Amino acid sequence: MNSGASLSRRTLLGVLGAAAVTGAASRPATAAASPAGSSTAAAGYVLVSRQAWGADERLRFGTDGTETWSPEYHPVQTLSVHHTGSPNGEADPEARVRTIYRDQAVAQGWGDIGYNYLIDAGGLVYEGRWSGTDGNAAHDAAGRLVTGAHIGGYNAGNVGIALLGNLAGTAPTAAARTALVQLLAELSVRHSIDPQREKTIYVNPVSGIMWDGHSISGHRDWAATDCPGGTLHTQLPAIRAAVAGLIAQ
């Protein structure tokens, strides 16, 4: 964006949010957008709330009624992309989200789903880890990110976005990729992140552990893993450029 045509952060959020507002009539009945004027309604993606995808909130609590993993909140520093490794082309993605939720909350003992957002092949964005009752998905009322469980040792202040499916040898669908770009653009604007910054210094606000790399990265950039799949990871440079283009337009 050149200086002569620069827009304020508030104006950018308004521009990115226009598609979501004008597209409200075409949203599926299972989807729930964020409140009008909220930056999480931005970029034209459709957000499916936890209630809409059928999250059983009882799974967040132990038998004694206490929360297994009490929520913590920190300012956003980086955006990280994953795949879930589940089968591609499933007919009921909401059921897959519920399965992931139950596995990570109960079997893994993480108290909730580990990702902050999930995206299905049709381009729907699902609210991930519970962040409060203010209707601001993944964030508290002050705009801080709820800490997830998606990259060991590097979760605080690191947004985790997972595409449903196995993208090791399969490319994300056009709809999923579009929603990913839209979501990344909205988060980049909201948290003043340069989507093409190659050297972001991340500092875990809890442990002090440090990492440096792209502001938008894949799980494998942080740890020894195939995630987010080789095919999706190869597309990340083009995805970063698309995010920057969406913000600049």
Side-chain angles (χ1 to χ4, degrees):
M1 183 182 302
N2 63 56
S3 58
S6 62
L7 298 174
S8 69
R9 179 173 175 272
R10 182 187 298 270
T11 302
L12 271 171
L13 287 172
V15 170
L16 289 174
V21 174
T22 57
S26 63
R27 290 185 185 124
T30 57
S34 297
S38 169
S39 60
T40 53
Y45 64 83
V46 176
L47 180 67
V48 182
S49 70
R50 288 174 64 92
Q51 181 181 14
W53 60 255
D56 182 352
E57 301 297 355
R58 294 172 298 181
L59 300 183
R60 298 191 290 109
F61 299 87
T63 55
D64 62 355
T66 60
E67 230 171 348
T68 302
W69 183 329
S70 298
E72 298 178 2
Y73 305 90
H74 299 279
V76 169
Q77 301 180 52
T78 54
L79 312 173
S80 297
V81 179
H82 303 257
H83 73 165
T84 60
S86 50
N88 296 319
E90 292 184 304
D92 189 350
E94 286 187 6
R96 173 55 60 185
V97 173
R98 290 192 295 271
T99 296
I100 294 171
Y101 171 42
R102 178 174 291 277
D103 175 68
Q104 295 183 346
V106 181
Q108 301 295 332
W110 299 343
D112 200 346
I113 198 164
Y115 309 112
N116 298 111
Y117 301 91
L118 303 95
I119 301 174
D120 70 18
L124 290 179
V125 177
Y126 296 81
E127 179 183 9
R129 198 170 190 86
W130 187 86
S131 62
T133 58
D134 57 8
N136 191 3
H139 301 75
D140 67 3
R144 299 174 302 171
L145 177 75
V146 66
T147 300
H150 56 99
I151 300 178
Y154 303 99
N155 288 302
N158 187 4
V159 180
I161 304 169
L163 274 66
L164 297 184
N166 189 327
L167 303 177
T170 301
T173 64
R177 177 168 164 156
T178 295
L180 176 62
V181 168
Q182 292 170 334
L183 176 59
L184 289 169
E186 185 265 305
L187 291 168
S188 294
V189 171
R190 193 200 311 202
H191 298 293
S192 300
I193 291 173
D194 178 354
Q196 293 190 295
R197 185 177 179 86
E198 295 185 3
K199 190 173 180 64
T200 293
I201 307 298
Y202 167 90
V203 181
N204 188 309
V206 178
S207 68
I209 190 171
M210 299 177 67
W211 172 92
D212 65 85
H214 282 283
S215 56
I216 297 175
S217 62
H219 188 176
R220 65 167 62 181
D221 297 315
W222 298 78
T225 175
D226 177 64
C227 184
T231 302
L232 176 55
H233 192 266
T234 299
Q235 293 187 6
L236 284 181
I239 288 171
R240 296 183 193 109
V243 172
L246 179 58
I247 293 171
Q249 74 182 12

